[in-house]
Amino acid sequence: MITHSSAHNAVRRLLGLATVRSVDRRASRCKAHRRFQLYLVTALGEASALLLGFYLAGRIWPAPAGGLDVTGLLFVLLPLHAGVTFQFGAYGLTSLQSWKRGLRLALCALLLSALTIVAIAGTFNAQFAKGVLALGMAFSGTGVVIVRHLAHQLASRLLPDGPIEIVVLSDTPAEVAHLGHPIVDARPFKGACNLDSPQALDSLGRAIGRADRVLVACRTDRQRWITALRGLGADVEILLPEFDALGVLSINRQHGLLSACVAMGQLALHERVLKRAFDLVTVLWLLPLLFLALALVSVAIKLEDGGPVFFVQRRIGHGNRFFDLYKFRTMRVEALDLRGTKSAVRGDPRITRIGAFLRSTSIDELPQLLNVLAGSMSIVGPRPHAVGSKAGDELFWVVDERYWLRHAAKPGLTGLAQVRGYRGATDTRAAIVNRIQADLEYLVGWSLWRDIRILAATIGVLAHPNAY
């Protein structure tokens, strides 16, 4: 006879078995398992590429008598390449986050392995067909490129939302739904905060699963939640929306205490020298274009209405200090807006015929090379605005207080906002917010290479639909 107790125990055992199987199925689908599969497939694919590459090379270029043949070369090369590639991290998370970086590391490992074989052969006076090695490297390198590309395509299918498994722990799930990551509601696991209930911590651990990163978005008991999560073996980060309001750029440590950086100082001396040298070289290279434009535009402006060639406007520059910005005049003299209170719009009656052409081609901005030469502007940086500039009916700094932060760098002839297409009239709040966001991004982590890329990208937006 089956008693109630035995039936209950049987049900519990059945539920326990079902739970274990459910966890096992989840583990088989977790990203860590998928990543390992991709690493294994990539390693096997590259080994096959080496085997095929050197087989073809051996058929084309016979090995010398008494020297290392293809089999001997592969006997050394295969484990050497696998070890160096693994050591370089080409079979790791970095290779999945950026397959091109993984490819570069794999090719560098292949080259280093070949050079090692040459060095070993030279040390022991071993004979081998250098043509076989060269051809084998060429074929194998091509195969590695193909394998890495196919692995990237496979990774895109297996891990469409990226290789890192991220889980958000929140006591207000609706507020973090926009993050797009799986959310664990913290409220049912509140007992884990007490840190004296192994059962509650076990339940929380099972809910988190094998996540690589846990984002804590709890309004209360943050410290206790973090303590409860530190034993999971995952990266734990805390979301601090209040830091967004402060405009925190980075976190540092001062004498054992954490500090939040809310503003970036000037560049280091060598960086300032490098940026200034880049400005001067670029200006000197563009001066002939400025002189040609000056000659042609001056004649065109004088013929049209006889007014002044240049338009000088006071704008806000580095350190929130004013400076005079030079442009070719594009508006009728009586309609000039020295404070910039009204943005130009498409078909603006204030703009002259030659002015419309100058604006659409950005030629009107060329005199700012003189500002760069004088040091009040840089080639690349946040675009300077007039004192009265508005987004809709509100001044820029009223729309977004972060506006003043952008003046930590010299204003630029072009900038990150411009190459992203944020040009033209600022008739909405979003129009200036997008520009401010791009400018603040530019302030973080300056490099000469990024300035060069922005300048190169500017060529593609000189004639922009919003340039009027």
Side-chain angles (χ1 to χ4, degrees), residues 236-457:
V236 179
E237 300 177 20
I238 183 168
L239 293 179
L240 299 170
E242 59 270 30
F243 274 27
D244 288 333
L246 294 173
V248 172
L249 301 176
S250 63
I251 302 296
N252 305 304
R253 188 173 287 274
Q254 302 291 337
H255 302 290
L257 298 176
L258 288 178
S259 62
C261 176
V262 295
M264 299 296 292
Q266 62 180 348
L267 300 176
L269 177 60
H270 71 280
E271 292 176 326
R272 296 201 303 273
V273 171
L274 197 59
K275 187 171 176 62
R276 183 59 178 160
F278 173 68
D279 289 343
L280 292 176
V281 169
T282 305
V283 168
L284 292 175
W285 185 68
L286 292 175
L287 273 181
L289 179 62
L290 173 62
F291 292 147
L292 176 62
L294 180 60
L296 297 176
V297 172
S298 298
V299 172
I301 290 176
K302 288 296 183 180
L303 288 176
E304 181 167 14
D305 62 10
V309 173
F310 293 107
F311 172 61
V312 183
Q313 187 178 53
R314 176 154 289 192
R315 296 205 177 184
I316 306 172
H318 185 211
N320 297 321
R321 295 184 288 271
F322 294 136
F323 75 100
D324 291 331
L325 176 138
Y326 297 97
K327 297 179 67 175
F328 285 126
R329 181 175 61 86
T330 58
M331 292 187 179
R332 292 183 286 107
V333 176
E334 66 275 13
L336 291 175
D337 183 7
L338 293 177
R339 289 184 55 83
T341 54
K342 183 181 179 182
S343 296
V345 296
R346 195 179 302 277
D348 197 317
R350 299 175 298 169
I351 298 175
T352 63
R353 287 177 298 174
I354 184 61
F357 171 76
L358 296 178
R359 283 174 171 266
S360 65
T361 56
S362 299
I363 293 176
D364 64 317
E365 310 285 359
L366 277 177
Q368 287 161 48
L369 291 173
L370 301 175
N371 288 111
V372 177
L373 196 60
S376 56
M377 288 181 64
S378 181
I379 290 294
V380 180
R383 284 293 296 160
H385 298 137
V387 178
S389 298
K390 294 181 179 181
D393 296 326
E394 295 179 298
L395 292 167
F396 286 171
W397 55 86
V398 175
V399 174
D400 193 331
E401 291 182 350
R402 298 178 304 163
Y403 174 78
W404 299 109
L405 305 180
R406 64 197 295 278
H407 299 137
K410 274 187 183 181
L413 194 63
T414 184
L416 191 59
Q418 283 63 49
V419 299
R420 287 182 178 175
Y422 300 137
R423 298 185 60 181
T426 52
D427 49 358
T428 65
R429 295 171 63 92
I432 187 58
V433 170
N434 288 335
R435 299 180 200 198
I436 292 174
Q437 183 59 43
D439 291 337
L440 296 183
E441 288 180 33
Y442 174 77
L443 294 181
V444 180
W446 176 86
S447 71
L448 178 62
W449 174 239
R450 188 170 60 164
D451 272 12
I452 293 173
R453 284 188 298 168
I454 291 174
L455 180 59

